[in-house]
Amino acid sequence: MTKARYFQLILILGSMTALGPFSIDMYLPGFSGIAADLNTTVAKVSMSLSSYFIGISAGQLLYGPLLDRFGRKRPLFIGLMVYILASLGCAFVTDIDTFIGLRFVQAVGSCAATVASLAMVRDLFPAKETPNVLSKLMLVVGLSPMLAPTAGGYVTTYFGWHTVFLILAAMGAFVLLATQLGLPDTHKPDTSISLKPKPIITNFISILKVPQFHTYAFTGAVAFSGLFTYVAASPIIFMDILKVDAETYGWIFAIMSVSFIGSSQLNSVLLRRFTSEQMIFTALISQSVISFIFLILAFNDLLGLYETIGMLFLFLACLGISNPNTAGLSLAPFSKNTGSASALMGATQLGIGALASFGVSLFVKDAITPMVVIMTSTTILALVILIFGKSKIKKTIVSSSDDAVMVH
């Protein structure tokens, strides 16, 4: 594979995975405007974030078997068309309940790109290279929380929040063209895979029973729910409690993404000297210490704007290290059922993320402490899952015996 082709694949796969984060982040500065236009509260608008997480979680389980049965590109095309139409619907909505419902549909469409990108990484690259490739994708994905809220803040200020969803529809169209024209269909349709409910559920259960999968998938998902907690709480924390405007909020979000991008790229360098297992454990221990300090500061009312930004910056840096490694080790044992395995991993991550964001909408009203309590609890739980789960893994697989072949 040439360097140019490698770069092209990373860019297209990165754009696929970035579509979801853009859909989550870009409309956040418009929460107040949406609440005013649709005659509701900011807390009710935040339910549209929870519905998006629920949709993308459920949709992952739908697309996993479809990607294994029909190949990667056909389900991807259909999903992106659903995403484009739902985005257009969000731009012209007139009531909050319809908006929440359309966000669910938009999520179901977008997660076709998310699941397909993970499966295609496993198709295109050897399993032992997966954590490194995923770290590179994080660079592309990491730009979305840097650019999306900042751009969303300016778009919302000058053109209104409706325009955000027109831009998202245009992005969906771009990703659709890029994937159809620039990617090979890396997986031939497999007619042996049934789409009946019972075999699909049996297949998911067989994947879930693999100790390496459930240990690292659940460790990663529970730890990563801290990011969803931050995303869901940030409009309330920064704009309502700490009183920053939409444009400033966008820039704060951009600063936070520097932490996530930087640490995910540092992960690529550190993998030359340390194993993924060592990286995950160290990141979770660090995240636990940071969470406890954050919690002490919150309980003692010592968190102003800069202190909150600083603690969140350190917290997100730990996630940038752990996430690509938990994802890589979760998928490593699989080759035949990669689509289903990546879908189950994604559904687990986003399902737990949806619960965390729902908790934010219930408890985070006029104080920072509930957000920090949720983040600390999930971090400790992730560490417990890792410690107990590793004791059941006889030997960690870093590449399956049926390794993917690099596509030229």
Side-chain angles (χ1 to χ4, degrees), residues 259-341:
S259 171
F260 193 74
I261 295 170
S263 60
S264 66
Q265 297 317 294
L266 177 63
N267 180 62
S268 292
V269 177
L270 292 173
L271 280 170
R272 297 170 191 166
R273 294 190 59 186
F274 304 101
T275 66
S276 287
E277 295 168 278
Q278 291 171 320
M279 300 289 287
I280 294 164
F281 188 75
T282 303
L284 277 177
I285 291 291
S286 302
Q287 191 174 320
S288 299
V289 173
I290 291 162
S291 298
F292 273 117
I293 295 171
F294 203 179
L295 195 61
I296 291 167
L297 292 174
F299 274 125
N300 288 281
D301 200 24
L302 296 172
L303 290 172
L305 177 61
Y306 297 110
E307 292 83 3
T308 303
I309 291 172
M311 294 309 300
L312 286 170
F313 190 92
L314 294 172
F315 183 91
L316 295 175
C318 298
L319 292 177
I321 295 288
S322 64
N323 189 57
N325 289 295
T326 53
L329 289 181
S330 297
L331 297 179
F334 305 99
S335 53
K336 178 179 170 61
N337 294 326
T338 311
S340 296

